[in-house]
Amino acid sequence: MCREGIDLVTLKVALKHSADRLEQEIFHLRQWSALASNVNLEDVSVHLQEALERVTGGEELVAGCVRTLAELQVQGPQSTGTGVTITPV
């Protein structure tokens, strides 16, 4: 999803929702992996564990973006940097 003129708060909230959804998926993958292991489907369980690790990594990265945006929101735009201006609302 892409928007023209997206503001810092909108982006932060959208990414927070994404991180929350990934956290829910992590919970579900843990449950499915345990179930697969309990019914002797070790190959499936191993694949689900790998997926769980990858999703967990993605959730951590997205949550990191949310923290960075929250810090930028508090600090406001700085005169040096990448040339991108973020205006707190």
Side-chain angles (χ1 to χ4, degrees):
M1 175 190 320
C2 185
R3 291 175 145 180
E4 288 290 324
I6 190 167
D7 62 280
L8 178 64
V9 174
T10 303
L11 180 58
K12 182 183 72 175
V13 169
L15 290 176
K16 175 66 173 128
H17 289 173
S18 292
D20 291 344
R21 285 191 307 272
L22 287 170
E23 191 175 324
Q24 272 294 57
E25 288 306 317
I26 289 167
F27 174 77
H28 293 150
L29 285 170
R30 280 190 185 121
Q31 298 298 316
W32 289 120
S33 178
L35 177 66
S37 182
N38 287 342
V39 295
N40 297 321
L41 295 172
E42 285 304 317
D43 288 345
V44 173
S45 181
V46 167
H47 282 74
L48 290 172
Q49 283 296 325
E50 184 179 335
L52 175 61
E53 290 173 15
R54 291 180 182 189
V55 173
T56 299
E59 188 274 334
E60 291 169 356
L61 290 171
V62 174
C65 290
V66 172
R67 286 188 298 275
T68 299
L69 289 169
E71 290 170 7
L72 286 172
Q73 186 179 1
V74 171
Q75 294 172 2
Q78 298 193 3
S79 60
T80 60
T82 61
V84 175
T85 302
I86 299 174
T87 306
V89 175

